[in-house]
Amino acid sequence: MAMAASDIEALIKAALPDAEVSITDLRGDGDHYAAHVVSSAFAGKPRIAQHKLVYAALGGRMGGELHALQLTTAVPN
């Protein structure tokens, strides 16, 4: 089952309210996305911890509804 980009964005913003989220459907199939997430919640955290915050926001949908997510994270300037 594919997942809509807007659903991914909504889940991330629900967990990280200040997040700026950009989602790109890499194959046009609703299963392979790239996400760029910018949030102050990432400040002082290593990249792996930042990614874990985003994956936690997706609530276990990785590997199920969401097959693949290429993730980049950043702290606001």
Side-chain angles (χ1 to χ4, degrees), residues 17-47:
D18 75 323
E20 295 174 28
V21 182
S22 174
I23 306 286
T24 304
D25 189 339
L26 297 174
R27 294 190 182 170
D29 61 3
D31 277 334
H32 298 83
Y33 289 100
H36 180 73
V37 183
V38 179
S39 173
S40 61
F42 301 149
K45 292 182 174 52
R47 184 92 41 209

Side-chain angles (χ1 to χ4, degrees):
M1 173 189 278
M3 188 170 188
S6 59
D7 293 339
I8 298 167
E9 182 176 353
L11 287 167
I12 294 170
K13 285 188 173 188
L16 304 166
D18 75 323
E20 295 174 28
V21 182
S22 174
I23 306 286
T24 304
D25 189 339
L26 297 174
R27 294 190 182 170
D29 61 3
D31 277 334
H32 298 83
Y33 289 100
H36 180 73
V37 183
V38 179
S39 173
S40 61
F42 301 149
K45 292 182 174 52
R47 184 92 41 209
I48 239 172
Q50 295 174 16
H51 287 204
K52 284 182 178 182
L53 284 173
V54 176
Y55 290 128
L58 298 173
R61 288 173 178 85
M62 283 301 304
E65 291 176 67
L66 182 56
H67 178 70
L69 181 66
Q70 177 184 326
L71 183 59
T72 56
T73 54
V75 177
N77 291 332

